[in-house]
Amino acid sequence: QVQLVESGGGLVQAGDSLRLSCAASGRTFSSYAMAWFRQAPGKEREFVASIRWSTSYASSVKGRFTISKDDTKNTVYLQMNSLKPEDTAVYYCAADRYYTGINTKEYDYWGQGTQVTVSS
C-alpha cells in the first residue's frame, strides 16, 4: 500500500514559480513510477509529468516544469516555472508499480490534490 500527500500549492502570479511536493509512504517507493496530473474546473484530469528511470512531460509544460525524486525522503517534486493562468488546476500525485503513461486508470495510488491558482 502506498499513501501520497501533496503540498506546496497556492496562489501566484503569471511568470512566478512554485514547487509541489508529494510525500509517499512505503518502503518500496524508490522502485515505483511517480506522476503528476492536474484537473482544471470542468475539464478531465490530464497528465503533466512522470518519472521512474526516465522522465516524461506533457507538451504544454515541457521546458517549464521539472519532475524529480528524492528516494531518501520518499518524495517526488514538481518544479513549475514561468507559470501561466492556464496552469491553474488541482494537481494530483499518482503512483504505480510500473506504469508511467498518460492514462489515469493505470495508476493504482492517488493523493488528495493541491490547488494551484495562477493569476494574470
Side-chain angles (χ1 to χ4, degrees):
Q1 189 75 9
V2 175
Q3 292 185 326
L4 305 173
V5 179
E6 302 98 333
S7 62
L11 172 62
V12 297
Q13 293 186 332
D16 285 351
S17 297
L18 206 57
R19 189 177 79 159
L20 305 183
S21 301
C22 173
S25 65
R27 286 179 242 177
T28 59
F29 171 79
S30 62
S31 65
Y32 271 71
M34 304 296 296
W36 287 96
F37 285 76
R38 66 186 182 187
Q39 188 166 18
K43 294 188 176 181
E44 292 188 353
R45 194 169 296 189
E46 65 174 6
F47 173 82
V48 175
S50 66
I51 185 169
R52 191 172 181 223
W53 313 124
S54 62
T55 58
S56 180
Y57 296 92
S59 58
S60 59
V61 306
K62 200 166 189 177
R64 299 189 298 123
F65 291 11
T66 302
I67 188 171
S68 60
K69 286 177 71 181
D70 185 339
D71 291 337
T72 65
K73 297 182 179 179
N74 276 13
T75 301
V76 62
Y77 303 99
L78 185 68
Q79 177 66 43
M80 305 185 295
N81 298 329
S82 302
L83 282 162
K84 305 175 181 180
E86 50 263 44
D87 294 318
T88 295
V90 177
Y91 282 71
Y92 296 91
C93 178
D96 187 78
R97 188 67 181 84
Y98 303 106
Y99 185 73
T100 58
I102 67 172
N103 191 341
T104 59
K105 295 180 181 179
E106 296 293 331
Y107 288 87
D108 288 334
Y109 306 102
W110 291 88
Q112 294 292 94
T114 185
Q115 176 71 46
V116 172
T117 303
V118 185
S119 64
S120 57

